[in-house]
């Protein structure tokens, strides 16, 4: 059976990113990095809400206190949708004003694992951090230009992170103390297949990754072998999130960024949100602990 993603939200996002299914409101939350905007989409009613952000925003994650943790260019903030307010929690890179936060996930203990990148996409200045108790710790992974992820295995012992420009997906072991070790290449995207973007892990421990410029999404087994690929009618797929009542619907954000006028005319759905039956369940989104 060929899986065909269907558009579910016409948006035309410049750089749609960071989709996450939030159980408490049964909605998909995501961002448009270059439009400085947060979105909430309820697939049951097709209702959409949105909020402007004061800076570029890389990701949004639910927090245990009912608010949200968001990654703005200047650091991690607490976002309250009811008041549309942002409160700085921590700036991990005050010495790197050209960087911005790009992607993130939360582990079972409520710790936020997130990455940064060079906004100009020229310098290898992107790093991985773990934030707990209001402070971010540099995890010591070699810096890259565009870092995507991280994503965490179902048992919480493995961290996947992406060097987008070099086409590499890395895997590190998470120790009991939260430190990383045994970092190695998990999978490599071949030349011409696009660039690996946001990763996410399903309930079977397999890794899904969006392909920017690759017209699809790939699935890799825990050993790093590609076991599936889903084709899209648009080139830039940034990331998927598992949602719906049983977490088996995959929602995908896409982007118009980098497309020429001719390409945009040929890809009228670029920047829209898509959905498809993943035939496998995802993992519930953990809630972040904010100070």
């Amino acid at each position: 059976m060929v899986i065909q993603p269907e558009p579910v939200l016409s948006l035309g996002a410049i750089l749609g990113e960071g989709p996450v299914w939030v159980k408490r409101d049964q909605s998909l939350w995501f961002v448009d990095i270059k439009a400085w905007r947060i979105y909430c989409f309820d697939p049951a009613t097709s209702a959409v809400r949105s909020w402007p952000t004061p800076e570029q925003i890389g990701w949004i994650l639910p927090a245990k206190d009912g608010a949200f943790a968001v990654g703005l260019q200047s650091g991690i903030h607490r976002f309250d949708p009811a008041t549309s307010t942002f409160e700085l929690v921590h700036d991990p890179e005050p010495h790197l004003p050209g960087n911005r936060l790009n992607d993130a996930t939360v582990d079972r203990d409520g710790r936020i694992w997130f990455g940064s990148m060079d906004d100009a996409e020229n310098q290898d200045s992107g790093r991985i951090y773990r934030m707990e108790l209001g402070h971010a710790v540099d995890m010591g992974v070699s810096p890259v230009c565009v870092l995507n992820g991280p994503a965490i295995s179902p048992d919480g012992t493995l961290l996947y992170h992406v060097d987008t420009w070099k086409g590499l997906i890395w895997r590190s072991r998470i120790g009991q103390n939260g430190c990383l070790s045994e970092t190695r290449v998990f999978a490599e995207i071949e030349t011409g297949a696009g660039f690996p973007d946001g990763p996410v892990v399903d309930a079977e421990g397999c890794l899904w990754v969006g392909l920017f410029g690759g017209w699809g999404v790939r699935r890799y087994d825990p050993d790093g072998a590609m076991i599936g690929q889903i084709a899209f009618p648009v080139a830039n797929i940034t990331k998927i999130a598992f949602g719906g009542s049983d977490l088996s619907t995959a929602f995908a954000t896409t982007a118009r960024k980098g497309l020429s006028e001719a390409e945009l005319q040929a890809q009228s759905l670029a920047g829209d949100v898509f959905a498809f039956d993943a035939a496998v369940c995802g993992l519930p989104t953990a809630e972040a602990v904010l100070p």
Side-chain angles (χ1 to χ4, degrees), residues 196-221:
D197 205 323
V200 66
V201 178
D202 64 30
E204 296 180 355
C206 295
L207 185 83
W208 298 67
V209 64
L211 297 176
F212 199 97
W215 299 83
V217 171
R218 285 186 178 181
R219 186 183 187 219
Y220 290 85
D221 71 16

Side-chain angles (χ1 to χ4, degrees), residues 121-133:
E121 302 183 15
N122 291 321
Q123 305 297 320
D124 288 345
S125 57
R127 291 166 169 80
I128 296 176
Y129 298 90
R130 183 190 75 242
M131 193 187 88
E132 54 185 317
L133 302 176

Side-chain angles (χ1 to χ4, degrees), residues 16 21 43 52 72 83 85 117 138 155 165 169 194 196 203 213-214 219-220 234 237 259 268 281-282 290:
W21 183 259
L72 297 182
T83 59
T85 55
M117 62 168 279
D138 188 333
D155 64 3
W165 277 157
I169 303 171
R219 186 183 187 219
Y220 290 85
V234 296
I237 295 74
L259 298 179
S268 60
C281 293
L290 292 176

